[in-house]
Amino acid sequence: MRAILLITFLLTLASCNGSGGGKTQALGGRSPGSADDDLPIRWADSALPLSIQISGDFSFAPADIDGAGRNPIEQMQKEWDDAVTGKVLFNYPAPAAASKGSDPLSTYKDSVLGVYISDDWFSNISSSALAITQFYAYKMTGSRGEYYQLSHADIIVNERDYDFSYDPNSNTDYDMSTVILHELGHLLGLDHQSDGAVAAVMQPYLSIWESNRALFSDDASRISDNYTDSALSAGSASYLPSGIPDGTELHGVIELMASGECKHYHNGKLVKSHFSF
């Protein structure tokens, strides 16, 4: 039976800078002294391109569709796609998915990789979360070294507590496209960029006045590195085994928060809490 390791990351989207320095995850072996949760997270090449299904809860106006016929979610997928050379990350057009309604978060682990809206937010997730990405992955060791291979992921937007629009100039609603672009980065395996001096969609903060619908160079570099085939191998002198058995399951939930508080949970336990301002 596979061992199950539940690691829940509740990371705020509020400039959670800790000790500074950008945390990036490039596919490959571990550097000496790195923490167990620093292992890269990515989809297997055989799983690409991903068919991300869009819940019927989303509604798009004709003006939201671009010249290629893509809706705003597909447009944000294309931003990540264009940053990776030699691989296609997503299928187009994105198929439709049924609404999950008031189903509990545990039921989202199914056969559908989806983007959903919830009008009835989860009792075990903070109401300060604008959106979450929930993912499951299994620890692997290959020619690239140790990493977590994603097996399932979903994005859920909190419309019970927040208002969203597709108007980039709105000062009263959060920009849905910006939220989806950020969450797709998590769905593809990226963590937050924790260096506040680095321009990035994956910065751990978002204000109601922000609209970032294109990747910055840091985002493009990180996603390219995460899906590059060449990497540090287990035979390298700088390789440090994690001690995590292959087949161990990682369950992660990343919250995109509207508050300024940074909360970190490991295995369901709060290990650190601080404010970013």
Side-chain angles (χ1 to χ4, degrees), residues 246-260:
D246 281 358
T248 297
E249 185 178 50
L250 170 67
H251 171 212
V253 177
I254 306 177
E255 290 187 354
L256 184 159
M257 301 283 276
S259 70

Side-chain angles (χ1 to χ4, degrees), residues 21-26 79-80 83-84 181-182 185 190-205 214-227:
K23 180 178 179 182
T24 60
Q25 293 178 317
E79 285 294 317
W80 289 107
V84 178
L181 184 62
H182 178 99
L190 294 187
D191 200 349
H192 288 136
Q193 168 55 264
S194 58
D195 186 343
V198 176
V201 165
M202 297 310 295
Q203 280 286 352
Y205 61 83
L215 299 185
F216 294 90
S217 60
D218 179 74
D219 304 304
S221 175
R222 290 180 63 205
I223 195 63
S224 180
D225 286 347
N226 205 37
Y227 286 90

Side-chain angles (χ1 to χ4, degrees), residues 57 99-105 107-108 117-123:
D57 297 316
S99 170
K100 299 288 282 187
S102 58
D103 291 353
L105 188 58
T107 67
Y108 283 72
I117 286 174
S118 174
D119 292 314
D120 185 17
W121 200 236
F122 311 105
S123 60

Side-chain angles (χ1 to χ4, degrees), residues 57-273:
D57 297 316
F58 286 89
S59 178
F60 308 114
D64 299 328
I65 309 302
D66 69 9
R70 298 188 182 98
N71 63 50
I73 295 176
E74 294 167 330
Q75 293 167 32
M76 298 303 97
Q77 291 178 347
K78 190 66 166 56
E79 285 294 317
W80 289 107
D81 244 335
D82 288 347
V84 178
T85 302
K87 294 178 183 177
V88 178
L89 300 178
F90 298 105
N91 275 319
Y92 305 92
S99 170
K100 299 288 282 187
S102 58
D103 291 353
L105 188 58
S106 59
T107 67
Y108 283 72
K109 188 184 181 184
D110 52 20
S111 61
V112 175
L113 309 180
V115 183
Y116 301 92
I117 286 174
S118 174
D119 292 314
D120 185 17
W121 200 236
F122 311 105
S123 60
N124 59 329
I125 299 294
S126 171
S127 60
S128 294
L130 295 167
I132 63 171
T133 295
Q134 175 174 242
F135 66 87
Y136 296 84
Y138 289 97
K139 161 64 170 44
M140 306 284 285
T141 302
S143 60
R144 303 179 178 101
E146 295 183 87
Y147 62 100
Y148 280 105
Q149 182 170 292
L150 286 159
S151 59
H152 186 81
D154 296 290
I155 294 169
I156 308 107
V157 179
N158 179 7
E159 276 204 348
R160 185 194 70 179
D161 301 299
Y162 300 97
D163 294 321
F164 301 85
S165 78
Y166 298 99
D167 178 5
N169 300 312
S170 174
N171 292 324
T172 58
D173 303 320
Y174 286 92
D175 185 55
M176 180 68 84
S177 295
T178 299
V179 171
I180 295 298
L181 184 62
H182 178 99
E183 294 302 313
L184 284 169
H186 292 316
L187 182 143
L188 291 169
L190 294 187
D191 200 349
H192 288 136
Q193 168 55 264
S194 58
D195 186 343
V198 176
V201 165
M202 297 310 295
Q203 280 286 352
Y205 61 83
L206 179 68
S207 79
I208 202 168
W209 303 282
E210 285 187 83
S211 176
N212 296 319
R213 299 183 174 190
L215 299 185
F216 294 90
S217 60
D218 179 74
D219 304 304
S221 175
R222 290 180 63 205
I223 195 63
S224 180
D225 286 347
N226 205 37
Y227 286 90
T228 296
D229 292 330
S230 59
L232 183 66
S233 70
S236 170
S238 62
Y239 178 81
L240 179 65
S242 68
I244 301 172
D246 281 358
T248 297
E249 185 178 50
L250 170 67
H251 171 212
V253 177
I254 306 177
E255 290 187 354
L256 184 159
M257 301 283 276
S259 70
E261 186 177 7
C262 235
K263 290 185 177 181
H264 302 253
Y265 291 82
H266 289 181
N267 299 319
K269 180 180 178 181
L270 180 65
V271 296
K272 182 169 65 173
S273 177

